[in-house]
């Protein structure tokens, strides 16, 4: 028995489990040819004297890891503008400012462009030391303080110093900052503020918050960085793990997005996204403009002045449509390191020591565990007033003898899950009064970064979301945040499946089935409850999975939130085709709700 235990421990040390390895370094290639169209439908009430639209032009761009080439770009108007102005701002961003005097009641603006992009998965070869020195004057702007990136605030300065102290290279300092942001920020679609201080205090925000906080911490450490504004397109891509054949799916929605770039003196600007990637962004990103923070880029701004003040405001509907003429996605990962807690995907820096998974050893090949030359640095957890919200690790259920669960009294109402999602997707929001123009007759509004992040879940691929119970529960229902696009016959239902080997392959319980024709069409996303009440199902403390099932011609989307706002990494999976293994891990958490009663 002792021999078996020692052998087991040795193998666990020598073979890092993929579930515990969190920065995956990639090889292969991605290149795409994309036709993009952005259609704006604008309704203008009576009394508007003039109306202006800021349209950001997409430009070609190249970095050590990402190349974007614009092959064509044109904009068409349903009514010819009174004036079109070409503008280049101090960051080099280009805009068309179209203005209408006495505008019509309806305007349609279509911007179409073709982009060819490529990711170069070759090792970066930066030798930039830390702290940096001799930064050129044209780059120093991206070390400055700004309204949304308050790099001089004492809390930002203190945290930045603690995260980067001891770093010998710029890459190490940047990685320490990024790992902290990844592990201490939770994604939310509609935060009330986008600045770095709000992000630090609450630990929540959207892509703007992630990016503004990241560049603030980097600039406080003397590392030039800037926020990038652009678009993402919904076309998933996958990474295959070469050691076990499993895959990970990276997903983004159609819409506006913010990420950031870091300046390395010896290689130039390098892309980062604190929600997903390290040292690159994929071909699903379309770069439009840069600024010291997310507020400085002006695309999607609408300004108007009143001839006669009205309670109505102009309304804008924006539709983004991307079609791929060509798309090659052959990406593998066989190397990884064990930080951060939440997953990142990156391109390896040549000077970084990587951990390489090794195959299982045969019993006769067992050797003493070698001492690593350079142990990975511990995750720094600074204490700040007020402290940033630390990520909550799910804890195993208390080891308590519950006895016969059927004899317990279930009287305490309980509800949990990934509960927050926008029922109606509103991609435009008026600026707050303090952000409006100075006079009462001049008003502006701006496109927001709210996106419809949802998965089409009634096709061949089967999807599952995990949750954990710490006490026994009699389950009333499980609800999914869904939108019905179509379907007249068949059913929807869910299975609650006991976890086994981190997958939904244990014992299962089926909810009541809902006829698709009984689900009405509705705007946006709503909870669709799947009842288990009549079955009086009692679940013991354990980890479970919710698996969506359907029959017939159902066409439904299931809403999700980027990252892992509910649970732990690897808590969302898919299986394709039916009957194969649950070996595809998703980069988000579905919105779900569990309701019932717990024992006292």
């Amino acid at each position: 028995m002792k021999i078996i235990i020692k052998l087991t421990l040795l193998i666990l040390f020598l073979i890092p489990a993929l579930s515990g390895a969190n920065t995956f370094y990639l090889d292969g290639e991605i290149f795409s040819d994309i036709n993009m169209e952005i259609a704006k439908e604008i309704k203008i009430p009576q009394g508007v004297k003039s109306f202006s639209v800021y349209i950001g032009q997409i430009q070609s761009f190249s970095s050590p890891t990402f190349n974007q080439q614009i092959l064509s770009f044109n904009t068409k108007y349903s009514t010819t503008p009174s004036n079109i102005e070409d503008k280049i701002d101090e960051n080099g961003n280009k805009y068309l400012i179209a203005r209408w005097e006495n505008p019509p009641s309806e305007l349609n603006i279509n911007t179409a462009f073709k982009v060819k992009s490529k990711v170069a998965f070759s090792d970066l070869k930066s030798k930039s030391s830390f702290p940096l020195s001799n930064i050129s004057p044209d780059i120093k702007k991206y070390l400055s303080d700004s309204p949304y990136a308050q790099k001089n605030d004492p809390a930002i300065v203190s945290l930045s110093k603690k995260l980067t102290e001891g770093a010998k290279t710029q890459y190490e300092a940047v990685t320490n900052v990024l790992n902290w942001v990844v592990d201490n920020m939770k994604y939310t679609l509609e935060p009330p503020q986008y600045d770095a201080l709000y992000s630090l205090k609450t630990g929540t925000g959207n892509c703007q918050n992630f990016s503004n906080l990241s560049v603030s911490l980097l600039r406080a450490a003397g590392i030039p960085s800037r926020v990038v504004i652009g678009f993402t397109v919904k076309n998933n891509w996958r990474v295959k793990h070469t050691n076990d054949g499993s895959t990970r799916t990276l997903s983004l929605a159609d819409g506006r997005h913010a990420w950031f770039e870091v300046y390395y003196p010896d290689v130039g600007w390098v892309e980062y996204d604190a929600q997903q990637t390290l040292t690159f962004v994929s071909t699903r990103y379309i770069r439009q403009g840069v600024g010291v923070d997310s507020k400085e880029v002006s695309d999607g701004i609408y300004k108007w002045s009143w001839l006669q003040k009205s309670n109505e405001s102009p309304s804008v509907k924006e539709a983004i449509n991307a079609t791929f003429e060509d798309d090659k996605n052959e990406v593998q990962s066989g190397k990884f390191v064990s930080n951060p807690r939440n997953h990142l995907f990156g391109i390896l820096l040549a000077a970084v020591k990587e951990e390489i998974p090794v195959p299982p050893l045969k019993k006769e090949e067992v050797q003493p565990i070698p001492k690593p030359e350079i142990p990975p640095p511990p995750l720094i957890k600074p204490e700040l007033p007020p402290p940033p919200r630390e990520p909550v690790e799910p804890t195993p259920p208390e080891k308590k003898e519950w006895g016969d669960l059927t004899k317990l009294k279930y009287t305490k109402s309980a509800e949990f899950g990934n509960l927050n999602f926008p029922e109606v997707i509103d991609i435009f929001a008026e600026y707050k009064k303090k952000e409006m123009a100075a006079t009462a007759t001049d008003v502006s509004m701006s496109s927001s970064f709210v996106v419809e992040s949802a998965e089409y879940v009634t096709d061949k691929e089967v999807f599952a979301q995990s949750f954990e119970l710490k006490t026994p529960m009699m389950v009333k229902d499980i609800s999914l945040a869904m939108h019905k696009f179509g379907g007249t016959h068949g059913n929807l239902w869910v299975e609650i499946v006991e976890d086994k080997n981190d997958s939904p392959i244990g014992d299962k319980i089926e909810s009541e089935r809902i006829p698709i024709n009984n689900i009405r069409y509705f705007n946006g996303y709503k909870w669709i409850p799947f009842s288990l009440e009549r079955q009086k199902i009692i679940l013991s403390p354990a980890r479970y999975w919710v698996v969506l099932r359907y029959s017939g011609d159902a066409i439904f989307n299931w809403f999700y939130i980027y990252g892992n706002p509910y649970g732990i990494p690897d808590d969302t999976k898919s299986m394709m085709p039916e009957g194969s293994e649950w070996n595809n891990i998703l980069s988000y958490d579905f919105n779900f709700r569990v309701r019932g009663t717990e024992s006292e």
Side-chain angles (χ1 to χ4, degrees):
M1 180 63 71
K2 290 183 179 179
I3 295 175
I4 295 174
I5 293 173
K6 288 181 179 179
L7 178 61
T8 303
L9 290 174
L10 179 60
I11 292 176
L12 287 174
F13 274 101
L14 289 178
I15 309 170
L18 285 181
S19 61
N22 296 302
T23 298
F24 299 97
Y25 291 111
L26 308 182
D27 293 306
E29 59 182 341
I30 308 178
F31 63 79
S32 305
D33 290 348
I34 307 171
N35 290 315
M36 188 89 167
E37 182 178 355
I38 303 170
K40 298 178 174 67
E41 181 183 318
I42 306 169
K43 293 186 177 181
I44 303 173
Q46 291 184 348
V48 173
K49 180 173 64 175
S50 67
F51 188 84
S52 299
V53 181
Y54 285 63
I55 302 170
Q57 297 189 63
I58 312 295
Q59 302 180 67
S60 296
F61 173 78
S62 183
S63 79
T65 60
F66 177 74
N67 181 273
Q68 171 179 289
Q69 183 182 3
I70 304 303
L71 304 180
S72 63
F73 185 94
N74 65 81
T75 300
K76 295 181 179 180
Y77 311 91
S78 60
T79 299
T80 303
S82 305
N83 182 60
I84 299 177
E85 177 186 353
D86 287 308
K87 179 183 177 182
I88 302 178
D89 68 16
E90 59 184 356
N91 295 300
N93 303 318
K94 294 183 178 181
Y95 301 97
L96 296 175
I97 305 176
R99 189 179 77 255
W100 290 262
E101 301 295 341
N102 300 314
S105 59
E106 291 188 9
L107 274 174
N108 291 287
I109 304 174
N110 286 352
T111 299
F113 55 91
K114 183 173 182 178
V115 56
K116 180 187 289 288
S117 54
K118 181 179 180 180
V119 176
F121 287 109
S122 56
D123 292 355
L124 288 170
K125 294 179 173 61
S126 173
K127 296 181 180 179
S128 178
S129 60
F130 181 80
L132 276 66
S133 59
N134 300 322
I135 298 171
S136 60
D138 60 320
I139 300 298
K140 284 186 177 180
K141 173 187 177 178
Y142 301 108
L143 287 172
S144 63
D145 192 87
S146 71
Y148 278 21
Q150 305 100 321
K151 71 107 175 183
N152 290 332
D153 184 89
I156 297 286
V157 172
S158 176
L159 176 57
S160 176
K161 182 178 179 180
K162 291 179 180 180
L163 291 174
T164 58
E165 62 185 358
K168 302 299 183 184
T169 67
Q170 181 183 354
Y171 178 87
E172 183 183 358
V174 174
T175 301
N176 287 349
V177 168
L178 184 64
N179 286 351
W180 189 91
V181 173
V182 169
D183 276 349
N184 289 273
M185 285 288 292
K186 293 291 186 182
Y187 186 86
T188 182
L189 275 168
E190 299 180 280
Q193 296 174 222
Y194 305 111
D195 63 284
L197 275 181
Y198 170 85
S199 310
L200 181 64
K201 291 175 181 178
T202 66
T204 62
N206 67 6
C207 56
Q208 297 178 83
N209 298 81
F210 277 72
S211 299
N212 289 328
L213 177 58
S214 297
V215 300
S216 300
L217 292 168
L218 291 168
R219 290 179 196 161
I223 299 173
S225 52
R226 61 191 184 188
V227 175
V228 183
I229 299 298
F231 299 91
T232 55
V233 294
K234 183 177 175 59
N235 193 356
N236 297 345
W237 61 284
R238 290 186 174 179
V239 176
K240 182 176 181 179
H241 294 295
T242 56
N243 56 347
D244 66 358
S246 65
T247 59
R248 292 176 187 267
T249 296
L250 283 80
S251 302
L252 293 163
D254 289 333
R256 282 178 167 77
H257 189 58
W259 59 100
F260 65 98
E261 294 173 346
V262 176
Y263 183 75
Y264 286 79
D266 53 351
V267 297
W269 291 103
V270 177
E271 286 73 31
Y272 287 79
D273 185 345
Q275 293 175 241
Q276 199 169 88
T277 55
L278 169 80
T279 63
F280 83 102
V281 293
S282 77
T283 59
R284 278 62 176 155
Y285 291 66
I286 296 174
R287 184 183 187 274
Q288 184 177 50
V290 298
V292 293
D293 58 31
S294 64
K295 188 181 178 182
E296 198 175 29
V297 182
S298 299
D299 176 69
I301 289 180
Y302 301 81
K303 295 184 177 181
W304 64 93
S305 60
W306 295 104
L307 180 64
Q308 182 178 356
K309 186 72 175 175
S310 171
N311 292 328
E312 291 186 73
S313 294
S315 64
V316 182
K317 290 183 179 180
E318 185 175 80
I320 297 174
N321 182 45
T323 57
F324 283 70
E325 283 190 5
D326 193 10
D327 187 40
K328 184 175 183 179
N329 170 25
E330 295 180 357
V331 185
Q332 307 85 37
S333 175
K335 303 174 183 179
F336 53 84
V337 294
S338 53
N339 280 321
R341 184 184 70 89
N342 287 308
H343 295 322
L344 280 175
F345 299 82
I347 297 175
L348 189 65
L349 188 75
V352 173
K353 182 178 178 65
E354 70 271 24
E355 300 173 17
I356 304 177
V358 296
L361 294 177
K362 297 179 181 178
K363 184 175 179 179
E364 61 270 17
E365 294 175 337
V366 174
Q367 300 293 331
I369 303 171
K371 185 177 180 180
E373 296 178 8
I374 305 176
L379 179 64
I380 302 168
K381 295 182 178 179
E383 297 180 1
L384 291 173
R389 187 169 64 86
E390 294 291 336
V392 179
E393 290 278 4
T395 56
E398 295 181 7
K399 293 184 177 179
K400 180 178 178 180
E401 295 296 333
W402 295 99
D404 186 348
L405 299 184
T406 62
K407 294 183 178 180
L408 298 177
K409 294 183 178 180
Y410 296 90
T411 57
K412 182 181 177 181
S413 295
E415 176 179 310
F416 66 89
N418 190 19
L419 303 177
N420 297 319
F421 68 94
E423 292 192 9
V424 178
I425 306 296
D426 182 8
I427 63 170
F428 288 88
E430 283 196 53
Y431 275 177
K432 297 176 182 177
K433 287 185 178 180
K434 65 180 181 180
E435 294 176 322
M436 289 183 178
T439 66
T441 57
D442 293 334
V443 190
S444 66
M445 69 178 180
S446 175
S447 305
S448 76
F449 286 68
V450 174
V451 293
E452 183 183 356
S453 52
E455 192 73 63
Y456 172 42
V457 289
T458 49
D459 199 5
K460 295 179 181 179
E461 196 166 3
V462 185
F463 294 87
Q465 171 72 50
S466 76
F467 66 90
E468 185 179 18
L469 282 181
K470 298 180 181 180
T471 60
M473 183 177 188
M474 181 176 288
V475 181
K476 175 185 176 183
D477 58 39
I478 292 181
S479 302
L480 310 184
M482 305 189 79
H483 177 81
K484 179 180 179 179
F485 286 93
T488 57
H489 66 275
N491 299 286
L492 284 182
W493 69 97
V494 297
E495 295 171 348
I496 302 177
V497 186
E498 192 174 11
D499 177 80
K500 188 175 181 181
N501 299 327
D502 295 324
S503 292
I505 55 177
D507 294 336
K508 64 183 179 182
I509 302 166
E510 186 178 302
S511 74
E512 294 185 18
R513 300 192 176 200
I514 304 176
I516 293 169
N517 206 37
N518 288 359
I519 301 174
R520 297 181 179 180
Y521 290 94
F522 48 83
N523 293 326
Y525 286 77
K526 292 184 178 180
W527 289 122
I528 295 181
F530 297 88
S531 178
L532 295 113
E533 193 167 16
R534 287 194 295 182
Q535 302 178 55
K536 297 189 180 300
I537 300 298
I538 298 174
L539 297 180
S540 60
R543 186 186 184 192
Y544 298 92
W545 294 81
V546 181
V547 180
L548 177 67
R549 299 290 186 177
Y550 79 99
S551 64
D553 61 351
I555 305 175
F556 282 78
N557 273 11
W558 186 358
F559 206 89
Y560 64 75
I561 303 295
Y562 293 142
N564 300 103
Y566 168 72
I568 59 174
D570 302 351
D571 63 354
T572 314
K573 289 190 172 185
S574 69
M575 175 176 65
M576 183 177 180
E578 177 70 39
S580 65
E581 296 180 359
W582 290 91
N583 61 356
N584 183 49
I585 301 167
L586 307 174
S587 61
Y588 51 74
D589 277 345
F590 282 116
N591 288 93
F592 72 100
R593 180 183 67 188
V594 180
R595 294 190 298 184
T597 51
E598 295 176 344
S599 62
E600 293 290 349

